[in-house]
Amino acid sequence: MTSKLSQRAQKLFIQYLRENNLKVTQERLALLDEIFNTNEHLDADDLLARMKVKQRKVSRATVYRTLDLLVQCGLVRKSRLGREHYYYEKMEPGGGHHHMVCTATGKIIEFWDADLDERLRRICQDHKFRPAFISIQIQGLSEEGQKVEQETSFF
Ligand SMILES: [Zn+2]
């Protein structure tokens, strides 16, 4: 299953690797493919596990190195969601969004609000600040997380 977006991403990634005298390897392309064919937020361990399921031998070092490259060339977005956890997800045209992170279940909810975006840009303007990238993260409890909290609460 390869989408149009992932095909275009692959083309850009290959171009980026060549321009930087880096090898275009099957492992690197397989990792890109994995990220572009899911809507999930993956961490390095998730990617390693997914590669294993597909019987592709990819080392942890290769996963980290490739993720760095994908972030550098702007194809993948890296976000610290929750405490000390980094997640990777594909960049999509017009795909800017924010995250709510449930501290009980780890669930990630994406949201976007055009009015909010507009407001934030105006606030930046007021401070003579030029925003390159706006990302909001709200930590708290999702619906399921609130139930977990209730069940484990003494009161
Ligand atoms: Zn996201």
Side-chain angles (χ1 to χ4, degrees), residues 39-41 77 79 81 89-90 95 97-99 108-110:
N39 287 321
E40 285 175 53
H41 301 77
R77 170 173 167 183
S79 313
L81 302 177
E89 63 183 307
K90 61 179 177 250
H97 61 262
H98 308 299
H99 296 109
I108 297 163
I109 299 168
E110 294 186 341

Side-chain angles (χ1 to χ4, degrees), residues 46-64:
D46 294 331
L47 277 162
L48 265 170
R50 281 167 178 243
M51 288 293 118
K52 212 169 190 177
V53 168
K54 296 198 169 163
Q55 315 247 324
R56 297 197 90 116
K57 275 208 179 112
V58 182
S59 73
R60 181 171 291 266
T62 300
V63 169
Y64 277 109

